[in-house]
């Protein structure tokens, strides 16, 4: 492998992390990296002192351009728009759970409140721990302007993303209880698991059944899952564990095929949010080994 390819390959995981957190779309992140690779390949590298800084700048600016386009596109999006999930096969249920808050679907959805410039400055500072001077150079702005962007971003997100210290076993236990109750349509069990102000959001993109707006309240969600169980009655519906954006989540299969990806946030006792991705386009890039139901990944319901 030649030197340019070697350098880019070594930096690719970090560059993908920047692009994905910026856009919330795996497909967009891959396109951005492809464009960045072409620019890197054609650049005069004798003039590039720090490849990582140069490539991060290119990826960030490409992501800002993509976000501007996406904002116009999402105005016509049918229903709720949620990020495209990153899914890996279910691990050993007792494996140590790595909480990656800034990669969660819930957090990425919150970032939609920010302008592209605010999102870039905030992520580069808070998620990638870059100095204000470096961020200013990447964004072509003054340090004062970058500090203001980060400040505004924090103000917009304040109190919007509460974090709770939850043990891996408690998280696993709640997921299993939720999967069991929702599969059975057990309204009483669901309401016992849900915070009274719990919020359910789903993304179908107008291509499959999904709620057009978020549903809120344990009563509404308990009834919703009761009706959903009746809708699926007679069909082979199963749940499986998987890594969803760095956290343990749920996959729901219908007749052996992936129906949706679910991320659940909670305080250890009650579920606060449920994010459900059903849009087939957003499920298309998931590894076929995960997309097709394997008997050994089923949760016992």
């Amino acid at each position: 492998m030649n030197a340019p390819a070697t350098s880019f390959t070594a930096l690719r995981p970090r560059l993908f992390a920047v692009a994905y957190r910026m856009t919330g779309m795996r497909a967009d992140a891959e396109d951005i990296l492809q464009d960045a690779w072409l620019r890197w390949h054609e650049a005069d590298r004798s003039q590039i002192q720090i490849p990582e800084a140069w490539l991060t700048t290119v990826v960030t600016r490409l992501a800002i351009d993509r976000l501007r386009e996406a904002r116009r596109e999402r105005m016509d999006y049918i229903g709720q728009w949620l990020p495209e999930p990153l899914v890996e096969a279910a691990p050993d249920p007792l494996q140590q759970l790595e909480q990656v808050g800034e990669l969660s679907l819930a957090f990425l959805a919150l970032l939609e409140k920010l302008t592209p410039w605010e999102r870039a400055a905030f992520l580069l500072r808070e998620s990638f721990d870059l100095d204000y001077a470096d961020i200013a150079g990447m964004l072509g702005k003054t340090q004062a302007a970058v500090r203001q962007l980060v400040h505004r971003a924090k103000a917009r997100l304040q109190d919007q993303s509460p974090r709770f210290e939850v043990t891996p076993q408690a998280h696993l236990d709640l997921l299993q209880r939720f999967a069991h109750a929702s599969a059975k349509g057990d309204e009483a069990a669901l309401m016992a698991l849900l915070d009274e102000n719990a919020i359910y959001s789903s993304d179908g993109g107008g291509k499959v059944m999904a709620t057009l707006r978020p549903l809120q309240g344990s009563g509404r969600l308990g009834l919703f899952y009761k009706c959903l169980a009746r809708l699926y009655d007679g069909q082979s519906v199963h749940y499986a564990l998987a890594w969803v954006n760095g956290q343990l989540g749920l996959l729901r299969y219908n007749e052996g095929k992936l129906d949706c990806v679910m991320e659940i946030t909670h305080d250890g006792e009650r579920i606060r949010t449920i994010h459900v991705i059903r849009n087939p386009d957003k499920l298309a890039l998931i590894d076929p080994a995960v997309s097709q139901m394997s008997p050994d990944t089923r949760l016992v319901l």
Side-chain angles (χ1 to χ4, degrees), residues 238-240 253 256-258 289-295 297-299:
H238 296 278
Y239 285 82
Y253 294 85
K257 294 185 179 180
L258 185 63
V290 176
S291 297
Q292 298 298 317
M293 187 67 186
S294 173
T297 65
R298 295 181 182 182
L299 288 176

Side-chain angles (χ1 to χ4, degrees), residues 182-186 200 208-211 222-237 239 252-255 259 278:
S182 59
K184 303 297 183 184
D186 188 335
Y200 170 98
V208 294
M209 183 181 67
T211 57
L223 179 60
F224 171 77
Y225 272 103
K226 179 180 179 179
C227 294
L228 196 62
R230 289 178 178 175
L231 180 66
Y232 284 122
D233 186 37
Q235 301 178 50
S236 178
V237 175
Y239 285 82
R252 186 174 69 212
Y253 294 85
N254 188 0
E255 304 297 341
D259 177 77
R278 298 202 68 226

Side-chain angles (χ1 to χ4, degrees), residues 272-285:
R272 298 298 186 93
T273 66
I274 304 171
H275 289 84
V276 178
I277 312 298
R278 298 202 68 226
N279 186 336
D281 295 340
K282 295 183 179 180
L283 303 180
L285 290 180

Side-chain angles (χ1 to χ4, degrees), residues 92-103:
D92 179 347
L94 296 179
Q95 180 178 334
Q96 180 69 32
L97 175 64
E98 180 185 2
Q99 297 287 354
V100 188
E102 73 273 9
L103 187 59

Side-chain angles (χ1 to χ4, degrees), residues 195-200 213-221 272:
D195 181 84
E196 63 178 358
N197 294 312
I199 298 176
Y200 170 98
R213 290 176 295 276
L215 300 178
Q216 184 169 10
S218 57
R220 294 185 71 190
L221 295 187
R272 298 298 186 93

Side-chain angles (χ1 to χ4, degrees), residues 21-214:
R21 283 168 171 80
M22 279 290 294
T23 63
M25 292 290 292
R26 177 175 181 171
D28 285 346
E30 295 287 0
D31 288 345
I32 287 169
L33 261 61
Q34 179 65 26
D35 199 347
W37 157 248
L38 293 174
R39 297 187 184 201
W40 170 248
H41 187 71
E42 296 169 356
D44 180 1
R45 279 177 294 281
S46 67
Q47 301 300 311
I48 300 175
Q49 296 182 349
I50 307 176
E52 181 175 350
W54 189 91
L55 283 166
T56 301
T57 299
V58 170
V59 166
T60 300
R61 293 188 178 183
L62 287 171
I64 288 173
D65 291 341
R66 177 62 193 127
L67 272 180
R68 287 170 170 167
E69 296 172 3
R71 292 208 162 204
R72 292 189 291 269
E73 295 169 2
R74 290 170 193 171
M75 290 180 65
D76 299 322
Y77 196 82
I78 299 175
Q80 304 164 77
W81 183 94
L82 292 175
E84 181 180 343
L86 301 178
V87 179
E88 297 177 303
D92 179 347
L94 296 179
Q95 180 178 334
Q96 180 69 32
L97 175 64
E98 180 185 2
Q99 297 287 354
V100 188
E102 73 273 9
L103 187 59
S104 72
L105 296 177
F107 183 71
L108 293 177
L110 280 177
L111 293 181
E112 291 296 301
K113 296 176 178 289
L114 307 180
T115 68
W117 290 107
E118 288 171 347
R119 188 163 178 162
F122 177 80
L123 287 172
L124 291 173
R125 177 61 182 170
E126 298 299 314
S127 294
F128 297 97
D129 199 28
L130 297 183
D131 293 335
Y132 284 108
D134 292 333
I135 300 172
M138 291 176 178
L139 301 185
K141 297 183 179 293
T142 65
Q143 288 191 52
V146 169
R147 289 179 183 275
Q148 185 61 26
L149 285 170
V150 174
H151 175 76
R152 287 206 304 264
K154 288 182 176 180
R156 287 175 184 263
L157 299 177
Q158 187 174 14
D159 298 327
Q160 294 294 305
S161 55
R163 297 186 180 184
F164 304 96
E165 293 296 328
V166 179
T167 67
Q169 187 58 51
H171 184 67
L172 173 62
D173 178 64
L174 192 142
L175 289 178
Q176 291 177 317
R177 290 165 60 200
F178 173 79
H180 185 276
S182 59
K184 303 297 183 184
D186 188 335
E187 188 175 4
L190 284 164
M191 290 184 65
L193 289 172
L194 295 163
D195 181 84
E196 63 178 358
N197 294 312
I199 298 176
Y200 170 98
S201 300
S202 62
D203 180 343
K207 300 185 178 183
V208 294
M209 183 181 67
T211 57
L212 294 178
R213 290 176 295 276

